[in-house]
Amino acid sequence: MPEIKLPEDFVTYPEARKKAFMALKALKEQGRRVVGIFCTYAPQELIDAADATSVSLCAIGEENIPAAEKVLPKNLCPLIKASYGGAVTDHCPFFYFSDMVLAESTCDGKKKMYEYLDKLKHTHVMQLPPGRDGRGAQEYWRQEVVAAKEDIENFYGITITEEKLREAIKLRNRERKAILDYYEVGRLKPSPISGYELNTVITSNEYAFDIEKKIAFLEKRTAELVEKYHSEYEGKPSRPRILISGCPTHGVIDKVIKRIEELGADVVGFENCCGPREKKDPVDETKDPITALAEKYLRVNCSVMSPNPGRYEALSEQIDDYQVDGVIEVVLMACHTYAIESEAMKQFVTKEKGIPFLSITTDYSTTDQGQIDTRLGAFIELLG
Ligand code: BJ8
């Protein structure tokens, strides 16, 4: 079985979460404010500017699902069930330590789940417009950013100043740049980085609460990888290069991402929320901060937006820039918005971009691993 290229000090996602739990506990003991988030639409700068730590809440783990199914329907996306299950059972230490949750009305399942979550802990739901280009959408969403800011202020009895917002925007833009540079190592051919590492590190980094340290870590690792490319990989043959698209993959890293690489291909990029989706797009530092945040976060290319033209543009650019040989789309079971976009994505990738496309629908269980391996194996063989 081909070996996956990993750094010596590689930390798996479960290990990173365990470490983060201790770090967050220490922060709480020092009296730090903590706000939980779930989604890429969450304007983290609002939380930073409130002198609070934002933490990604657990949305993975098959063990979290049975408790959720006591309240939520079984035929719901595993990410939503694991989010609620982790919270209601206290299996998610980050939810336990959060003072409140900043959420958004993305898909129907998530927004209805938040009604139950709010009974456990104050959950502010920002109401997204159904499409980013609809009449009044921008101004409506700007008002939602204002409302979220005011709710955080009222909750903590503080004022979020413009100066604090500007500082937060600058810091998060530097973080975005460091993350983007790290992702873009995947453009090198042959890739010196494993997609398994990319997915793990970026997802684990959501638990690195010191942003300056996170930036320094990513800059160092990016420099090491570029150096490694020139000394070990440049000019050598490449394995088939895969781009991942669709739903977030942090709940299926081992089941899908790692398996693709064990079966002989390189995952070189992600066109999903585990990838550079929002990192490529900094917040405009010259504008009024609330307007700039509203504009930036409404540009996230998620299938909950209708229409969602940005996803085609992002896919097209990434296929070219990362010299991709095939796209594998991961759709979480019962995720209607990504499932519906799937046929259009297939047509776009195969007809417009002229490369093969495979869509896999799965959940967090391991019962379909054999079937997934068979499909991945056949696809990779097709790519040669
Ligand atoms: S911005 S992708 S993180 S919503 S997979 S819960 S859409 S039924 S996770 Fe997502 Fe924000 Fe979009 Fe990104 Fe619903 Fe689909 Fe489940 Fe989903």
Side-chain angles (χ1 to χ4, degrees):
M1 191 167 287
E3 207 185 307
I4 295 183
K5 319 157 238 194
L6 293 175
E8 273 168 22
D9 55 355
F10 178 74
V11 178
T12 64
Y13 183 40
E15 287 164 355
R17 286 174 68 215
K18 206 188 278 177
K19 272 193 184 170
F21 158 58
M22 297 312 292
L24 194 62
K25 183 167 178 283
L27 285 173
K28 275 302 276 188
E29 283 165 0
Q30 290 158 26
R32 179 85 183 161
R33 299 174 187 134
V34 177
V35 178
I37 57 170
F38 281 109
C39 174
T40 311
Y41 282 109
Q44 283 181 287
E45 291 84 348
L46 290 181
I47 300 170
D48 300 341
D51 288 325
T53 294
S54 64
V55 61
S56 285
L57 300 174
C58 309
I60 64 164
E62 205 191 350
E63 67 284 0
N64 289 324
I65 290 182
E69 287 180 345
K70 288 187 184 154
V71 176
L72 301 171
K74 282 193 168 39
N75 62 343
L76 191 64
C77 150
L79 190 150
I80 302 172
K81 289 191 285 188
S83 303
Y84 181 72
V88 77
T89 56
D90 276 341
H91 285 166
C92 175
F94 309 112
F95 182 80
Y96 178 80
F97 285 127
S98 294
D99 307 316
M100 63 173 284
V101 176
L102 182 60
E104 305 78 17
S105 61
T106 51
C107 58
D108 286 351
K110 251 188 185 170
K111 71 183 178 201
K112 295 304 287 182
M113 179 273 282
Y114 291 144
E115 293 175 18
Y116 289 111
L117 200 72
D118 186 49
K119 295 186 199 304
L120 306 175
K121 197 158 281 194
H122 175 55
T123 301
H124 178 92
V125 181
M126 300 176 73
Q127 303 288 339
L128 276 162
R132 81 180 64 115
D133 300 320
R135 204 175 313 130
Q138 193 65 55
E139 181 47 32
Y140 168 81
W141 177 240
R142 188 184 183 283
Q143 288 308 319
E144 286 299 304
V145 175
V146 172
K149 171 179 164 288
E150 288 174 354
D151 192 49
I152 296 171
E153 288 176 328
N154 292 337
F155 185 82
Y156 286 116
I158 56 165
T159 302
I160 296 176
T161 63
E162 185 178 328
E163 193 194 344
K164 283 272 184 192
L165 276 174
R166 288 193 186 278
E167 262 173 42
I169 288 171
K170 279 201 179 114
L171 183 60
R172 288 287 177 183
N173 275 348
R174 285 181 45 228
E175 181 199 23
R176 282 188 183 97
K177 165 89 172 65
I179 296 176
L180 186 62
D181 290 347
Y182 175 66
Y183 274 125
E184 290 192 341
V185 170
R187 288 181 181 207
L188 299 170
K189 189 174 178 181
S191 174
I193 186 169
S194 155
Y196 176 59
E197 177 190 331
L198 270 174
N199 201 162
T200 303
V201 168
I202 295 300
T203 314
S204 304
N205 256 332
E206 298 296 328
Y207 302 122
F209 305 123
D210 183 329
I211 302 173
E212 288 292 358
K213 268 196 194 160
K214 186 198 291 192
I215 294 172
F217 167 81
L218 287 169
E219 286 176 348
K220 180 169 165 278
R221 182 68 186 137
T222 303
E224 278 169 11
L225 286 161
V226 171
E227 208 283 307
K228 195 169 176 194
Y229 170 74
H230 292 303
S231 61
E232 288 178 37
Y233 289 87
E234 198 169 9
K236 302 247 170 78
S238 170
R239 304 201 301 176
R241 295 166 65 81
I242 305 287
L243 179 70
I244 301 292
S245 183
C247 297
T249 40
H250 54 310
V252 293
I253 296 182
D254 284 2
K255 186 175 176 177
V256 180
I257 310 302
K258 197 172 177 200
R259 289 302 289 150
I260 292 171
E261 299 198 316
E262 287 171 342
L263 289 164
D266 285 331
V267 172
V268 295
F270 294 81
E271 187 286 308
N272 65 7
C273 277
C274 299
R277 175 171 281 172
E278 74 88 22
K279 307 299 172 200
K280 289 191 288 196
D281 184 18
V283 181
D284 189 334
E285 295 179 12
T286 63
K287 287 191 174 171
D288 148 61
I290 295 289
T291 305
L293 286 172
E295 287 176 359
K296 184 262 175 317
Y297 282 95
L298 201 53
R299 289 192 294 259
V300 171
N301 300 321
C302 176
S303 63
V304 298
M305 287 290 154
S306 184
N308 184 24
R311 190 170 168 212
Y312 297 87
E313 288 155 30
L315 254 182
S316 178
E317 260 177 42
Q318 272 188 278
I319 288 170
D320 296 342
D321 293 347
Y322 288 69
Q323 303 176 66
V324 168
D325 298 311
V327 172
I328 298 181
E329 179 186 64
V330 177
V331 177
L332 293 175
M333 207 87 82
C335 174
H336 299 318
T337 54
Y338 278 102
I340 292 168
E341 276 191 4
S342 183
E343 178 58 24
M345 288 300 137
K346 179 180 168 190
Q347 294 302 326
F348 178 74
V349 171
T350 55
K351 303 264 160 54
E352 305 266 327
K353 303 304 289 182
I355 59 171
F357 175 91
L358 174 72
S359 184
I360 286 179
T361 300
T362 189
D363 60 14
Y364 292 167
S365 74
T366 48
T367 50
D368 58 350
Q369 185 73 66
Q371 195 198 33
I372 285 182
D373 285 356
T374 307
R375 295 190 66 207
L376 292 176
F379 187 71
I380 292 165
E381 210 174 300
L382 170 86
L383 301 176

